Amino acid sequence: MTLDLTAALPTFVITLREGFEAALVVGIVLSCLKRAQQSQLNRWVFSGVGAGVGASALVGWLFYLGMGAMRRSQQPYAPIVEPLLEGVLCLVAILMLSWMLLWMTQQARSLKGDIEGAVTEALAQDLSSGSHPPSHPSVSQGPAAAWGIFSLVFIAVLREGFETVVFILAKFQQGWVPTLGALAGLAAAATLGLLLFRTGVKINVRQFFQVMGLLLLLIVSGLVISALKQINGAVEALAHQQPQFANWCNPDGVSCVLGGLVWDARGLLPDQEFPGIILKTLFGYRDRLYVAQAIAYVSFLSTAGWLYFLSLQSTSTSKPQGSQSS
């Protein structure tokens, strides 16, 4: 039996980007603590990383159990609720990843300064309370600073992890293979972060996020097609159970709310064989595409792409060209 790893590609790309963003936060925090001679707080940084990853995994596991129980359920409306829930998860993933893509592009130029300011504020909490004299920055900080550092890292890792978990859940019908891509992407992100902050290797961070942003934009656009397919499946299941809704679907039972067929390329480029399966996995290609899917895909890609390139232009005009690598 051949293991099909194509479903791991999108989650690898997304986890690599999300994980590297989290690695940047962790690296900046560790650098700030080192400069402030507060390296004894490093354990709170790594505790925040572990707690963030653990919380994301727990959320994903609970959703996985719930969706598995629904799939095994004998309730009459289970065949309707399952694809509907998967379609909703696709829509949530689209919204979260799109927001993250545009937000990160806008905030990239101030990310380091914002994090350094948050770390400085956390370290100053104990000093302002009179626990330690401010003239000795190397003195060990108290619990307020430790929890401030922990919270900063935990929230950053949890945000990136939750977005990845939602995307994996949106790919739930593809089994556990997307999880392999997520683990590989996480390992690659950690390696990049280690190279960047520990070995002095220069990485063009801005260029990295631009390239990954383009890939992410195409992957998320493909989710639009998947979301409509799942919603169509829910309507089809409803039509099977409730005859009064049967006229919503075409006689072939394939399209209920998707409209007419735009193209049928099953004989030319099937999406279950190479290279069609790669295009399907990464960019949402379908060998059978319907009107609603085509309109939604083009509308989302053009709108999100326009906003993304606008954000890139505004970033490039407001940031000097000299600070591209870290």
Side-chain angles (χ1 to χ4, degrees), residues 118-188:
V119 173
T120 302
E121 183 179 352
L123 294 178
Q125 288 179 6
D126 290 297
L127 297 179
S128 63
S129 64
S131 301
H132 307 291
S135 58
H136 299 285
S138 62
V139 72
S140 178
Q141 298 290 324
W147 281 109
I149 298 297
F150 174 86
S151 301
L152 174 65
V153 175
F154 172 75
I155 292 173
V157 174
L158 180 63
R159 184 184 66 230
E160 311 303 335
F162 185 72
E163 290 167 350
T164 305
V165 164
V166 171
F167 180 82
I168 294 175
L169 289 172
K171 297 284 185 179
F172 179 75
Q173 68 273 16
Q174 296 180 353
W176 55 271
V177 176
T179 306
L180 295 179
L183 294 175
L186 188 62

Side-chain angles (χ1 to χ4, degrees), residues 39 53 72 110 143 146 149 161 163 190 208 228 230 248 301:
S39 296
V53 172
R72 296 186 299 270
S110 61
I149 298 297
E163 290 167 350
F208 171 85
L228 289 175
Q230 296 299 332
W248 287 16
L301 183 59

Side-chain angles (χ1 to χ4, degrees), residues 63-259:
F63 269 103
Y64 176 83
L65 292 179
M67 295 178 71
M70 184 175 299
R71 176 167 290 183
R72 296 186 299 270
S73 173
Q74 300 300 318
Q75 296 296 324
Y77 286 98
I80 302 172
V81 175
E82 182 186 344
L84 183 61
L85 180 58
E86 291 181 3
V88 170
L89 281 173
C90 284
L91 293 176
V92 172
I94 291 168
L95 291 174
M96 291 185 63
L97 291 171
S98 300
W99 174 84
M100 179 274 299
L101 176 63
L102 297 175
W103 179 86
M104 183 58 188
T105 305
Q106 293 278 349
Q107 301 297 320
R109 59 182 178 270
S110 61
L111 178 64
K112 184 176 181 180
D114 292 343
I115 295 173
E116 289 178 343
V119 173
T120 302
E121 183 179 352
L123 294 178
Q125 288 179 6
D126 290 297
L127 297 179
S128 63
S129 64
S131 301
H132 307 291
S135 58
H136 299 285
S138 62
V139 72
S140 178
Q141 298 290 324
W147 281 109
I149 298 297
F150 174 86
S151 301
L152 174 65
V153 175
F154 172 75
I155 292 173
V157 174
L158 180 63
R159 184 184 66 230
E160 311 303 335
F162 185 72
E163 290 167 350
T164 305
V165 164
V166 171
F167 180 82
I168 294 175
L169 289 172
K171 297 284 185 179
F172 179 75
Q173 68 273 16
Q174 296 180 353
W176 55 271
V177 176
T179 306
L180 295 179
L183 294 175
L186 188 62
T191 302
L192 284 177
L194 191 64
L195 289 174
L196 185 63
F197 288 101
R198 291 286 181 165
T199 66
V201 172
K202 296 297 182 182
I203 299 175
N204 193 319
V205 175
R206 183 182 172 200
Q207 191 174 70
F208 171 85
F209 278 117
Q210 286 179 353
V211 173
M212 298 303 292
L214 288 174
L215 285 174
L216 183 60
L217 184 63
L218 293 171
I219 290 172
V220 175
S221 298
L223 273 181
V224 174
I225 296 178
S226 298
L228 289 175
K229 180 183 177 182
Q230 296 299 332
I231 294 172
N232 183 79
V235 176
E236 182 183 354
L238 177 64
H240 282 311
Q241 289 197 11
Q242 303 292 332
Q244 64 267 30
F245 298 109
N247 58 351
W248 287 16
C249 300
N250 292 342
D252 59 7
V254 176
S255 173
C256 294
V257 294
L258 300 180

Side-chain angles (χ1 to χ4, degrees), residues 242-314:
Q242 303 292 332
Q244 64 267 30
F245 298 109
N247 58 351
W248 287 16
C249 300
N250 292 342
D252 59 7
V254 176
S255 173
C256 294
V257 294
L258 300 180
L261 192 65
V262 175
W263 75 58
D264 188 346
R266 287 177 293 179
L268 179 64
L269 188 61
D271 59 20
Q272 296 298 324
E273 300 176 8
F274 182 84
I277 192 171
I278 301 295
L279 297 176
K280 175 183 177 181
T281 303
L282 281 176
F283 310 128
Y285 165 77
R286 293 293 189 277
D287 53 21
R288 300 186 77 186
L289 191 71
Y290 293 86
V291 172
Q293 291 174 314
I295 293 175
Y297 181 86
V298 172
S299 299
F300 177 84
L301 183 59
S302 57
T303 302
W306 178 66
L307 293 173
Y308 178 61
F309 284 110
L310 276 183
S311 63
L312 287 179
Q313 290 177 0
S314 64

